[in-house]
Amino acid sequence: MGRKRGRDIDGWLILDKPLGPTSTDMVNRLRWAFDAKKAGHGGTLDPLASGVLPIAFGKATRTIPYIMDATKRYRFTLTFGESRTTDDLEGEVLATSPNRPTDDQIRAVLPALTGDVMQVPPVFSALRVGGERAYDMARAGRPPELPPRPARIDSITLVERPDADTAVFDVQSGKGVYMRSLARDIALACGTVGHISVLRRTKCGPFDLSHALTIDQISLDKSTQTVDKADALPAPLLDAATALVDIPALAVTDAEGRMLVWGQSIDPADLVHPLPVSSQGEDHLWRAMIGEHVLGLCHVRHGRLRAARMLENHEFFGEHDVDYRRTPHGTDF
C-alpha cells in the first residue's frame, strides 16, 4: 500500500507574499514544498498585493475563521486621475479627471469613510452572483451590479503625498473590507477618480511583518535535501494556537478539558476557575488551556460552557483516557 499523500504537519507559516501570484498559488506551492496533507490561507491577497499572508497547515486550518475575522492593517498608494475596471493597476482605464485634491481636502473626507460603513465591492472580486464569480462575469463582458455590503473600517491615516498624483494611506479594518473599493471611494469623495497602485498588508490578526518570511527564505528545492534532513521542514512553523492569542484564556482542569474535547458541556458555576460574570455572554469566546497548552475554543451556549472549535482530540489525554461520552459525569443535560 502506498503512503498517504502528504504528512501531518501542524502550524502557521507567515509568508511575505510577493507581487504576481495569487494567494491560492502560494498555498499550493508551499503545501507541495512542505509535503503537507492539509493547508489553507487566512485572508486573500490580490495578485498585485504583497505582505502578510498567513498559511495554515493541519490543525491550524481549524483556526482560519478567526484569522479571517481578525483586524488587519494595510498601507496603500492611491493614484488620482484614472479610474480602472479592477480599481487597481491591472485594469483598463474607465475614466479620467484633472482634479487633484489637497491634503486638507483628503483629510476632510476620511471621517465619513471610517467606522461601520456600506461599501460596494470591486466588480473584479471573488464574490458569487447567481453561482458565478464576479470576476468571471466581468472578464466575459457581463460586469454584475454588486450591492453595498457592511464593512468596518477602524482608521484611515494619510501618511504622505509623494506628489500631486499620489497619496499613501495606512488603514486598519475588519473582515471583508476591500482596499480597492476604499481607494476608489476616497478619490470620488474628493471630487476626482483614482485607483490603487501599491497595496501591502502589514498585519493580519496577531501576525505582522516581523513574523513573515519571503519566498527566498523558505527552502523550496527538495532536490537539495540530504538524507538525514529529508524530514526537515523548509521553514519553522508557529504553533497552531498562535492565531488565538488575542482571545482571552480560560484555565481548565484535566477533567474539564476532557469533557470539552469529548463534546460535553459544563455548568459555568462548576468550573474550578470560574468565568467572570461580565463575560458569560453567549457571544464570548474563551481559549481553553491546560497549563500552557491550548485545547481549543469554547463558549457559553444555552447556559452551559461548550466547545466551539477544538484543536485537540481525545488522543491528547492518552490512550487510556475515560470515555466521557459513556459516564454519568459526562452526561449532557
Side-chain angles (χ1 to χ4, degrees):
M1 181 181 295
R3 184 173 65 88
K4 290 183 179 180
R5 182 182 178 186
R7 51 181 172 168
D8 290 314
I9 297 171
D10 302 313
W12 284 96
L13 175 73
I14 313 306
L15 178 68
D16 187 344
K17 178 192 164 300
L19 299 175
T22 67
S23 297
T24 300
D25 289 338
M26 299 313 303
V27 170
N28 291 338
R29 186 175 177 185
L30 290 168
R31 180 180 178 181
W32 175 86
F34 279 75
D35 189 25
K37 189 178 295 183
K38 190 174 185 181
H41 65 77
T44 301
L45 282 176
D46 294 330
L48 294 185
S50 67
V52 176
L53 179 65
I55 296 179
F57 296 100
K59 291 178 184 177
T61 59
R62 303 175 194 171
T63 65
I64 285 177
Y66 304 99
I67 291 298
M68 299 287 282
D69 290 345
T71 297
K72 301 171 180 66
R73 293 190 69 93
Y74 298 87
R75 176 166 287 205
F76 68 76
T77 300
L78 166 55
T79 295
F80 296 108
E82 292 182 346
S83 64
R84 300 201 174 210
T85 52
T86 58
D87 294 313
D88 65 13
L89 273 176
E90 192 175 26
E92 299 176 359
V93 176
L94 280 175
T96 61
S97 171
N99 295 336
R100 300 295 184 268
T102 65
D103 291 9
D104 288 342
Q105 288 173 324
I106 292 172
R107 292 191 179 98
V109 306
L110 299 183
L113 297 170
T114 307
D116 293 320
V117 299
M118 297 298 290
Q119 186 183 73
V120 177
V123 172
F124 281 79
S125 65
L127 294 175
R128 289 191 179 274
V129 180
E132 293 186 78
R133 295 288 189 186
Y135 54 65
D136 287 333
M137 298 173 69
R139 287 169 184 153
R142 300 179 289 111
E145 289 286 337
L146 297 176
R149 294 156 52 98
R152 192 194 83 238
I153 301 175
D154 300 322
S155 64
I156 312 170
T157 303
L158 175 61
V159 177
E160 60 176 323
R161 292 292 302 277
D163 50 54
D165 291 333
T166 57
V168 179
F169 298 88
D170 272 341
V171 178
Q172 179 171 300
S173 68
K175 176 184 178 182
V177 177
Y178 290 91
M179 292 300 116
R180 287 178 290 149
S181 292
L182 178 58
R184 174 201 66 205
D185 293 344
I186 291 173
L188 289 173
C190 290
T192 184
V193 293
H195 63 275
I196 273 188
S197 51
V198 180
L199 174 60
R200 184 160 174 78
R201 184 156 66 196
T202 58
K203 192 173 189 296
C204 185
F207 306 124
D208 59 31
L209 288 170
S210 70
H211 302 105
L213 300 176
T214 66
I215 200 70
D216 292 336
Q217 292 174 305
I218 302 169
S219 303
L220 300 181
D221 188 357
K222 293 183 179 181
S223 66
T224 62
Q225 291 181 341
T226 59
V227 173
D228 61 329
K229 293 185 177 180
D231 292 330
L233 296 179
L237 299 182
L238 300 176
D239 189 88
T242 309
L244 309 178
V245 296
D246 291 337
I247 297 174
L250 173 65
V252 297
T253 65
D254 283 1
E256 292 165 351
R258 291 187 186 100
M259 292 180 69
L260 291 171
V261 165
W262 278 118
Q264 304 305 302
S265 67
I266 305 170
D267 186 335
D270 294 336
L271 291 170
V272 172
H273 303 283
L275 296 174
V277 175
S278 60
S279 302
Q280 292 186 23
E282 298 268 315
D283 295 328
H284 198 91
L285 280 173
W286 293 92
R287 185 163 35 106
M289 302 184 66
I290 293 180
E292 296 298 317
H293 192 86
V294 179
L295 297 180
L297 297 178
C298 56
H299 54 194
V300 175
R301 285 292 183 271
H302 307 297
R304 296 183 67 85
L305 187 71
R306 305 169 189 270
R309 187 176 293 263
M310 288 288 114
L311 297 180
E312 301 294 352
N313 58 29
H314 65 280
E315 294 177 356
F316 172 77
F317 295 98
E319 296 180 359
H320 304 292
D321 186 30
V322 176
D323 188 341
Y324 273 72
R325 296 169 298 180
R326 298 190 176 93
T327 61
H329 181 62
T331 302
D332 195 353
F333 296 102

